[in-house]
């Protein structure tokens, strides 16, 4: 579970664009080592890792109301030196693209060859 999660401004734009029949899905996952809390204006990870983004498997699930949650699940393997992973985000493209959600988490130590399977839920709440 993430400590701090923010649907950034770009994520809101992606949602409204998709509702209007355009745009691309924010199904690409990237991780890094930044520790600064997310803000609405974030467009990139604070300190991206050297590994490439991975495409996640997308589904709709129920958290509070039927199909109120957009879920992206994907695994990123550590292909370089060990690191403490502290941030994750979703994007609408393999490279560059628009950030949708950014989270800062407690440090997850990865050695070379280890991986993290991320489950990122974007819950649309009526509150």
């Amino acid at each position: 579970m993430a400590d701090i999660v923010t649907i950034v401004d770009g994520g809101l734009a992606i949602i409204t664009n998709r509702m209007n029949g355009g745009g691309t899905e924010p199904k690409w996952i990237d991780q890094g080592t930044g520790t600064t809390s997310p803000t609405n204006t974030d467009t990139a990870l604070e300190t991206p890792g050297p590994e490439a983004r991975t495409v996640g498997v997308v589904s709709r699930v129920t958290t509070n109301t039927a199909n109120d949650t957009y879920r992206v699940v994907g695994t990123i393997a550590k292909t370089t030196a060990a690191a403490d992973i502290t941030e994750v985000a979703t994007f609408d493209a393999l490279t560059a693209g628009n950030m949708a959600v950014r989270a800062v988490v407690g440090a997850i130590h990865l050695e070379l060859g280890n991986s993290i399977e991320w489950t990122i839920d974007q819950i649309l709440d009526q509150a």
Side-chain angles (χ1 to χ4, degrees), residues 9-86:
D9 292 345
L12 298 176
I14 289 170
I15 291 168
T16 57
N17 199 20
R18 299 287 293 165
M19 291 175 78
N20 195 38
T24 54
E25 267 188 287
K27 61 184 179 180
W28 296 91
I29 302 172
D30 202 357
Q31 65 189 22
T33 58
T35 57
T36 302
S37 294
T39 67
N40 293 343
T41 59
D42 286 344
T43 59
L45 290 172
E46 178 184 5
T47 311
E51 289 75 32
R53 291 179 188 168
T54 190
V55 64
V57 175
V58 174
S59 62
R60 290 187 311 159
V61 299
T62 299
T63 300
N64 300 309
T65 304
N67 297 315
D68 65 347
T69 303
Y70 176 82
R71 175 173 283 174
V72 182
V73 179
T75 301
I76 300 178
K78 195 74 180 106
T79 58
T80 59
D84 289 330
I85 304 303
T86 51

